[in-house]
Amino acid sequence: MKVRVLGSAAGGGFPQWNCNCPNCDGLRRGTLRATARTQSSIAVSGDEENWLLINASPDVLQQIQGFPALQPARALRDTGIRAILLIDAQIDHTTGLYMLREHRQRHAVWCTRQVREDLTAGNPLFGLLEHYCGIDWQEICLTGAGFTPDGVPGIRIEAQALTSNAPPYSPHRDRPEPGDNIGLTLTDARSGRRLFYAPGLGEMEPEVWRAMQAANVVLVDGTLWTDDEMIRLGASGKTSRSMGHLPQSGPGGMIEWLDQLPSTTRKVLIHINNTNPILGEDSPERDELSRHGIEVAWDGMEIVL
């Protein structure tokens, strides 16, 4: 199983178009050693020919251009994407579907009932796409034994409900339901090796922790360094946890949890907000992650299991 990180940033990307925080300003001026990033998405394949796109970022066209396996050019109109899976209904994980509207058949889109409702009512993306290629909805059930999307052989997927938050336009905003946000365990059918993926994780619950402990690789929420990061910068009045993201540092933060995983587990952070100091490759915060054996995902990173 190969996992390709298409985008590693949180919503808005890095640098964010209207942001002049120390990170965004430093990258533009060339005074910060850092790498630009698009909004978070990954692609997964069991045979490196048929790919599952997990989240459709607004940057999806740039991401496809940067990864030729998704455009194998076998015909006049072609794609390596055989199915799409959405872990939530957030703008930065779904609106790339607009850019994929020229598909020659209906997109097979896997998501929970709650995400489908949000993308039918609050943000009627699914209805709009009926005027173009259309959507064949495949329901992700949280009580099932797992599934393999049609056309993407060699990978088994299990979903876990996460405590995070629904989009601002959702009726579940600040009152999340199981299914608004999910994490995924991706298992290679041949080797049995597992990757746990959760770019939005606001609370460590027993089922999620068990899935992380059983994984060979965890690719998890790296949005903010401190709980009050956005407040201190004047960028928002909300804490990291209230937005549905465990901060990396501090008591009960992501670093503390990752330190408890087996020493053989590969630990990678994704969905990095533009304000997070770990984007600075020479920063003390990046050095601290290195001391804990934690990596920071980058666009184009590949993980093979």
Side-chain angles (χ1 to χ4, degrees), residues 162 196-204 208-209 212 218-227 240-241 244-261 267-272 276 278 288-289 292 294-295:
L162 302 181
F196 179 77
Y197 178 58
L201 180 56
E203 184 177 327
M204 196 65 71
V208 174
W209 181 235
M212 289 178 64
V218 294
L219 185 59
V220 292
D221 193 336
T223 308
L224 296 168
W225 180 254
T226 61
D227 197 37
S240 180
R241 285 183 169 89
H245 301 286
L246 273 181
Q248 279 106 67
S249 63
M254 189 65 77
I255 293 175
E256 279 196 2
W257 283 105
L258 296 181
D259 277 348
Q260 299 176 57
L261 290 174
K267 301 170 285 188
V268 187
L269 299 177
I270 195 169
H271 197 267
I272 317 300
N276 193 327
I278 66 174
E288 183 171 348
L289 290 181
H292 289 270
I294 301 170
E295 303 173 58

Side-chain angles (χ1 to χ4, degrees), residues 72-143:
R74 298 163 297 194
L76 179 63
R77 296 289 179 94
D78 197 13
T79 179
I81 299 170
R82 299 299 305 274
I84 300 167
L85 189 155
L86 306 175
I87 63 167
D88 57 37
Q90 298 287 350
I91 291 289
D92 53 314
H93 286 157
T94 59
T95 50
L97 286 171
Y98 289 126
M99 301 298 101
L100 304 179
R101 64 190 180 277
E102 300 92 351
H103 198 35
R104 298 185 69 178
Q105 57 259 7
R106 299 172 72 83
H107 280 298
V109 176
W110 291 78
C111 65
T112 63
R113 174 183 56 79
Q114 289 82 358
V115 169
R116 178 176 182 264
E117 288 173 357
D118 281 344
L119 296 179
T120 303
N123 176 17
L125 188 157
F126 281 8
L128 185 148
L129 286 175
E130 287 300 322
H131 297 282
Y132 297 92
C133 59
I135 296 291
D136 278 338
W137 174 54
Q138 308 291 320
E139 184 174 8
I140 296 177
C141 297
L142 301 177
T143 57

Side-chain angles (χ1 to χ4, degrees), residues 7-253:
S8 53
F14 174 61
Q16 183 173 301
W17 68 280
N18 66 341
C19 184
N20 292 294
C21 70
N23 283 344
C24 293
D25 186 60
L27 184 66
R28 292 192 190 101
R29 293 176 182 271
T31 58
L32 180 76
R33 193 164 78 89
T35 302
R37 287 166 162 81
T38 59
Q39 295 167 89
S40 72
S41 175
I42 64 173
V44 185
S45 178
D47 58 10
E48 299 189 42
E49 181 178 352
N50 301 287
W51 293 84
L52 173 67
L53 178 66
I54 300 182
N55 296 331
S57 154
D59 303 314
V60 68
L61 297 185
Q62 177 182 343
Q63 293 166 349
I64 291 172
Q65 185 176 0
F67 187 37
L70 297 184
Q71 177 43 269
R74 298 163 297 194
L76 179 63
R77 296 289 179 94
D78 197 13
T79 179
I81 299 170
R82 299 299 305 274
I84 300 167
L85 189 155
L86 306 175
I87 63 167
D88 57 37
Q90 298 287 350
I91 291 289
D92 53 314
H93 286 157
T94 59
T95 50
L97 286 171
Y98 289 126
M99 301 298 101
L100 304 179
R101 64 190 180 277
E102 300 92 351
H103 198 35
R104 298 185 69 178
Q105 57 259 7
R106 299 172 72 83
H107 280 298
V109 176
W110 291 78
C111 65
T112 63
R113 174 183 56 79
Q114 289 82 358
V115 169
R116 178 176 182 264
E117 288 173 357
D118 281 344
L119 296 179
T120 303
N123 176 17
L125 188 157
F126 281 8
L128 185 148
L129 286 175
E130 287 300 322
H131 297 282
Y132 297 92
C133 59
I135 296 291
D136 278 338
W137 174 54
Q138 308 291 320
E139 184 174 8
I140 296 177
C141 297
L142 301 177
T143 57
F147 60 95
T148 297
D150 290 343
V152 189
I155 299 171
R156 186 155 190 81
I157 302 172
E158 297 170 75
Q160 293 85 27
L162 302 181
T163 297
S164 187
N165 209 340
Y169 62 79
S170 171
H172 306 155
R173 181 68 171 181
D174 298 326
R175 298 181 299 277
E177 295 183 356
D180 284 325
N181 298 268
I182 59 174
L184 303 173
T185 295
L186 308 169
T187 303
D188 182 272
R190 289 166 294 188
S191 69
R193 290 174 61 82
R194 299 178 177 182
L195 178 141
F196 179 77
Y197 178 58
L201 180 56
E203 184 177 327
M204 196 65 71
E205 295 176 300
E207 183 180 358
V208 174
W209 181 235
R210 285 192 293 271
M212 289 178 64
Q213 290 176 301
N216 302 97
V217 181
V218 294
L219 185 59
V220 292
D221 193 336
T223 308
L224 296 168
W225 180 254
T226 61
D227 197 37
D228 64 349
E229 182 175 309
M230 300 286 278
I231 297 172
R232 286 188 295 102
L233 285 170
S236 170
K238 295 184 177 181
T239 65
S240 180
R241 285 183 169 89
S242 70
M243 292 187 287
H245 301 286
L246 273 181
Q248 279 106 67
S249 63

